[in-house]
Amino acid sequence: MHHTTALLIELGAIILGLGLLGRLAGRAGFSPIPLYLLAGLAFGHGGLLPLGASEEFVATGAEIGVILLLLLLGLEYTAGELVSNLKTQFPSGAVDFTLNALPGAAAALILGWGPVAAVALAGVTWISSSGVIAKVLGDLGRLGNRETPVILGVLVIEDLAMALYLPILTALLAGASLSGAGLTLLISLGTVGTVLYVALRHGRLLSRAVSSDNPELLLLVVLGLTLLVAGFAQQLQVSAAVGAFLVGIALSGKTAEGAGTLLTPLRDLFAAVFFVFFGLSTDPAAIPPVLLPALLLAAVTACTKIATGWYAARRAGIGKAGRWRAAGALVARGEFSIVIAGLAVGTEPRIGPLATAYVLILVVVGPLAARFTEPLARRLTRPAAPAMQVPAVQADRAEAEAVPIA
């Protein structure tokens, strides 16, 4: 079969399959990420039916998927919001990093993978999934709750920290020395600071220069600018994803809203391709040996995320019920854990299977934790009624049952 013909058939099958899996996940009420990963495992190296003709194209699509994920994330925030969240949520962000990054680093060192792998696995266990959490909050009708800004504040701190973490990880994976990694960090700090300054002072001018009433032109300009900046960022070892995130921050107002609306379908398509590609590059036979460490790591970091959310909500003066809702909402890991693992598999291939199993577990457990953590905590902490007060309790229950339902 001609290569182009095989490429079209494989791509058509992949995209159609992703659409069907997404529809299935939507009907079941959970994130499609685990299904995309499983599909990649099924059709990758060592899977049921390896795909060869489309592998290079899918790899390029996966790179674009990461760039669009970070671009759309940046479009959701303004520079002012980022600076404000950094000031108010910094203590919660520090607790989040300490409780959730250290277990991943410790696990890599215990497994004997070395310090660079420890830095990578720390990021895998640290960063929550903004996409999964936002969807769960919407599905549960909690977007207007008092604890929701606290949850989003922690996520914003994580997203902003990615702009510093990814360049350092990229430099370490490339074999840079400590001085080289320090130089990369300085370049990243300078870049982030410059972009935030320009966005705060001249964001309207930049958005006006990019803006267009023609959706086609707006799409072309924003997408082209993002890919260009991402390429230059990659050349400077600042990370293409961070470059895309900074472009999103720099745009504001109607330009950001219009670009977000136009680019969301593209992001969803290429992000799905990215998850499939990560599964394609992971040998399913490598997952069973790391399943037990993945389960243990998932259990530990689910608890540490619950502690993080509870602390952040308590610090903001939220009541007990809201604290537990915030605690359960942060458990899910997803896209950014896979992004970090995807960067690291070239240096430590064993991170790929562990990260796949870890994300598969927590992307399923996360929505369940968001739904049931608060009711479970309320039951466990409910004080038992004294024996002398049982008749009064029964009387209150009878009175409540006698109230007619409106």
Side-chain angles (χ1 to χ4, degrees):
M1 186 182 298
H2 194 274
H3 177 75
T4 303
T5 304
L7 174 64
L8 292 175
I9 291 174
E10 288 187 5
L11 283 179
I14 290 172
I15 295 173
L16 177 61
L18 291 176
L20 295 176
L21 290 175
R23 178 177 293 183
L24 176 63
R27 289 184 176 179
F30 63 89
S31 169
I33 292 176
L35 296 183
Y36 295 158
L37 289 172
L38 290 174
L41 289 171
F43 296 100
H45 300 290
L48 300 175
L49 183 62
L51 301 177
S54 59
E55 186 173 357
E56 184 177 351
F57 185 93
V58 171
T60 304
E63 292 285 343
I64 296 175
V66 174
I67 290 170
L68 290 177
L69 275 171
L70 271 293
L71 170 64
L72 269 292
L73 185 65
L75 288 173
E76 293 180 7
Y77 307 125
T78 66
E81 289 172 343
L82 286 176
V83 172
S84 175
N85 271 287
L86 187 60
K87 292 178 180 178
T88 58
Q89 297 289 345
F90 179 78
S92 299
V95 170
D96 181 31
F97 170 78
T98 303
L99 291 181
N100 297 286
L102 290 183
L109 294 176
I110 291 171
L111 292 170
W113 292 356
V116 176
V119 174
L121 197 56
V124 171
T125 58
W126 172 23
I127 305 296
S128 297
S129 172
S130 301
V132 173
I133 291 171
K135 185 178 187 304
V136 170
L137 291 177
D139 292 343
L140 296 178
R142 297 182 183 175
L143 292 177
N145 286 15
R146 284 193 62 207
E147 74 275 3
T148 298
V150 175
I151 299 170
L152 298 179
V154 173
L155 296 177
V156 169
I157 291 291
E158 290 182 351
D159 297 336
L160 190 57
M162 289 276 285
L164 304 178
Y165 169 81
L166 286 178
I168 295 174
L169 177 63
T170 302
L172 293 174
L173 293 173
S177 61
L178 288 177
S179 60
L183 178 61
T184 301
L185 177 59
L186 289 176
I187 294 173
S188 179
L189 283 171
T191 303
V192 172
T194 301
V195 170
L196 288 177
Y197 174 80
V198 171
L200 284 169
R201 298 292 183 180
H202 310 290
R204 292 183 179 179
L205 295 177
L206 179 61
S207 298
R208 191 180 304 170
V210 173
S211 179
S212 174
D213 293 331
N214 188 321
E216 178 184 353
L217 297 180
L218 179 61
L219 174 64
L220 292 174
V221 170
V222 173
L223 182 58
L225 176 63
T226 302
L227 294 176
L228 187 64
V229 171
F232 279 119
Q234 188 82 1
Q235 187 69 25
L236 294 172
Q237 292 189 340
V238 176
S239 168
V242 171
F245 180 64
L246 295 177
V247 171
I249 292 173
L251 300 178
S252 61
K254 293 183 177 180
T255 302
E257 294 177 7
T261 301
L262 293 171
L263 288 167
T264 295
L266 280 178
R267 177 205 60 187
D268 295 340
L269 169 62
F270 284 105
V273 170
F274 166 73
F275 292 119
V276 169
F277 175 73
F278 189 82
L280 289 174
S281 59
T282 303
D283 186 353
I287 291 182
V290 298
L291 191 56
L292 180 58
L295 283 168
L296 292 174
L297 196 57
V300 170
T301 54
C303 293
T304 54
K305 274 292 181 181
I306 288 174
T308 298
W310 196 91
Y311 168 81
R314 177 176 178 269
R315 183 174 172 274
I318 306 298
K320 287 187 177 180
R323 294 176 197 175
W324 287 116
R325 286 194 296 268
L330 288 171
V331 169
R333 311 302 203 278
E335 60 272 19
F336 294 123
S337 298
I338 296 298
V339 168
I340 295 166
L343 293 173
V345 289
T347 302
E348 179 48 75
R350 290 172 291 184
I351 287 182
L354 179 62
T356 301
Y358 176 80
V359 170
L360 282 172
I361 294 167
L362 287 185
V363 83
V364 173
V365 171
L368 297 176
R371 186 183 297 269
F372 296 113
T373 296
E374 187 265 330
L376 181 61
R378 188 172 62 245
R379 286 189 178 186
L380 293 177
T381 57
R382 180 184 297 167
M388 295 295 293
Q389 296 181 3
V390 170
V393 172
Q394 292 176 345
D396 291 342
R397 183 180 301 169
E399 182 180 351
E401 291 175 350
V403 176
I405 300 175

